[in-house]
Amino acid sequence: MVIHPEVADALAEHRPVVALESTIISHGLPRPENLRISREIEAAVRAGGAVPATVAVVDGEPHVGLGDEALERIALDGSVVKASVRDLAIVAASGGLGATTVASTAHLAAQAGIRVFATGGLGGVHRAARDTWDESADLTTLSRTPVLVVCAGVKSILDVGATLERLETLNVGVLGYRTDRFPGFYLRDSGHALYWTAPDPDYVARVLHAQDALATAGYGLVLANPIPPADELNRARHDDVLAAGLAAADRAGVRGKDVTPFLLDFFHRETHGESLRANVALVRANARLAADVASAYAA
Ligand code: PSU
Ligand code: MN
């Protein structure tokens, strides 16, 4: 594993570091804007006083923290594969380019000693899971990975209720940031209640320290941060596009790890960029909040 020197220095000096995933760049956002957006996300982490560590596999080597050239290849190179935890060793051995999901980013970040990670949306249980068994490895990985994931909840392309039930079974704590409603990515409220609310970054940092002390740090934690009010999508429009996207995926016979990228792309096209703007706004807000939590934790 290659740890970028800036990240390694920060970790050695116990300064705040925030891990960032790369599948969102390569498979969640359209080219070529994704490159500019990935830099904006890193800038949001810096604005919060932390060092960004974007994670990816470059020429077979897992990297924690990417230089400019590597970030550009992950964003623009068409050969980049979406790599979850089970794919890491295969992409590594084949010497290829791999974009890491929430699961594989969390795994590598934890190996590097990074405790806080920001992304857009967590993977979860898909709506037809009763028949397809399609549940993201993000969930099972968080059940054994000591990382806090700051996200805007899960997309309504998923079965949100089932995802929350699985997180409970897997011992993954869920905190709402200044809310007692689980956010629905493009929408501030997915319709599901949360038990725990965090009022500020210090509170979340205390939870992380308590996890360390109680030896429950082996389990991941989710900090669910609702999209800023001004950036939320119109609910009726959102529901229409979602229904059309699910039907299109079904008709096209999309399966396995292609399902999530297909639905994200469908949303961006059908809303003429409105969902893209929302997506960028929420990731930026999550990056900033993660930096504030990492700073509080380091202090
Ligand atoms: N949700 C989003 N945007 C994304 C993803 C999920 O709103 O880019 C990506 C993340 O990398 C997540 C992955 O870890 O999709 C989950 O994919 P799957 O369902 O195949 O595990
Ligand atoms: Mn899946």
Side-chain angles (χ1 to χ4, degrees):
M1 189 158 82
V2 180
I3 302 186
H4 191 279
E6 188 192 4
V7 174
D9 286 350
L11 289 169
E13 294 164 14
H14 303 286
R15 285 187 281 117
V17 176
V18 171
L20 299 166
E21 65 152 309
S22 47
T23 289
I24 188 178
I25 302 169
S26 62
H27 290 72
L29 298 166
R31 295 188 199 112
E33 302 96 293
N34 59 347
L35 177 59
R36 175 181 51 80
I37 297 166
S38 67
R39 292 187 174 129
E40 286 175 17
I41 299 168
E42 292 199 343
V45 170
R46 290 188 194 281
V51 173
T54 303
V55 175
V57 181
V58 182
D59 298 329
E61 274 183 325
H63 281 245
V64 176
L66 299 182
D68 225 41
E69 191 203 320
L71 197 62
E72 192 169 319
R73 287 180 66 196
I74 292 296
L76 304 180
D77 192 318
S79 73
V80 179
V81 295
K82 172 178 169 184
S84 193
V85 173
R86 69 172 187 164
D87 306 301
L88 280 177
I90 304 171
V91 177
S94 66
L97 279 179
T100 50
T101 61
V102 168
S104 47
T105 304
H107 175 80
L108 292 171
Q111 296 290 309
I114 301 173
R115 201 76 170 78
V116 180
F117 163 23
T119 186
L122 185 65
V125 179
H126 284 259
R127 288 181 175 222
R130 187 170 281 112
D131 301 312
T132 62
W133 292 72
D134 189 352
E135 173 186 343
S136 177
D138 290 355
L139 301 188
T140 48
T141 300
L142 283 184
S143 75
R144 50 172 174 72
T145 309
V147 162
L148 170 80
V149 181
V150 183
C151 64
V154 300
K155 273 213 184 62
S156 41
I157 58 175
L158 301 173
D159 184 333
V160 181
T163 301
L164 287 169
E165 292 293 348
R166 288 290 290 153
L167 287 169
E168 180 178 7
T169 304
L170 294 166
N171 295 320
V172 179
V174 183
L175 291 156
Y177 189 68
R178 297 182 177 159
T179 181
D180 60 0
R181 310 294 298 172
F182 189 63
F185 199 82
Y186 297 127
L187 304 173
R188 288 178 60 81
D189 181 357
S190 68
H192 295 264
L194 285 177
Y195 193 82
W196 299 108
T197 298
D200 52 47
D202 279 331
Y203 180 98
V204 184
R206 284 201 301 278
V207 174
L208 291 175
H209 284 298
Q211 260 199 321
D212 295 340
L214 289 167
T216 60
Y219 303 114
L221 204 60
V222 172
L223 180 61
N225 184 30
I227 184 170
D231 299 302
E232 193 177 22
L233 290 194
N234 173 279
R235 190 173 289 267
R237 172 108 183 83
H238 165 275
D239 292 350
D240 288 348
V241 175
L242 172 62
L246 291 169
D250 198 42
R251 272 198 309 278
V254 181
R255 292 281 177 277
K257 70 179 182 176
D258 297 331
V259 171
T260 301
F262 178 93
L263 290 171
L264 296 179
D265 179 57
F266 187 90
F267 246 94
H268 294 329
R269 276 185 291 112
E270 289 298 308
T271 64
H272 306 289
E274 202 190 332
S275 69
L276 179 59
R277 278 191 296 280
N279 203 336
V280 174
L282 68 85
V283 181
R284 233 199 255 127
N286 294 342
R288 176 55 199 254
L289 175 58
D292 291 342
V293 171
S295 299
Y297 181 69

